Amino acid sequence: LAEALPLLTSLTSLKLRMNNFGAAPGADVMRAVCTLSALTALNMEGNAIGAPGSKVLAKALLQGQLPDLVHLNLSANALGPSEVEQLGGALATSSSLKELFLAHNSS
């Protein structure tokens, strides 16, 4: 999956919910997802990406790699307060995000 996603350059919506990738594989998938610059909706609910995956996403957002992202669901991803704070700082730079879900997170 991590190898195939970057080939889908025109993809605008991606739903990978409830796959329970875990931290390291979740970070690999998130790196691939962050190459999809046309993405407007991302649902990663229930994948336990934890700190590694959230750091990848936060860095990508700060670098403007997902400029058109409107909907983001990171519920149930084992994100603790520091991960949510880091993501919050990155998301604050986004002018496109309209909908954010972070339910059922804890480290």
Side-chain angles (χ1 to χ4, degrees), residues 37-52:
S37 60
L39 209 59
T40 60
L42 175 61
N43 187 341
M44 289 290 289
E45 177 185 2
N47 285 306
I49 63 169

Side-chain angles (χ1 to χ4, degrees), residues 10-57:
S10 61
L11 193 67
T12 59
S13 180
L14 181 60
K15 297 175 184 174
L16 291 174
R17 62 185 300 272
M18 308 309 270
N19 285 289
N20 200 27
F21 293 123
D28 291 340
V29 170
M30 193 58 79
R31 265 189 279 292
V33 165
C34 290
T35 67
L36 304 173
S37 60
L39 209 59
T40 60
L42 175 61
N43 187 341
M44 289 290 289
E45 177 185 2
N47 285 306
I49 63 169
S54 68
K55 286 179 184 176
V56 169
L57 178 59

Side-chain angles (χ1 to χ4, degrees), residues 76-87:
N77 270 292
L79 304 178
S82 61
E83 288 82 25
V84 171
E85 184 176 342
Q86 183 180 38
L87 279 169

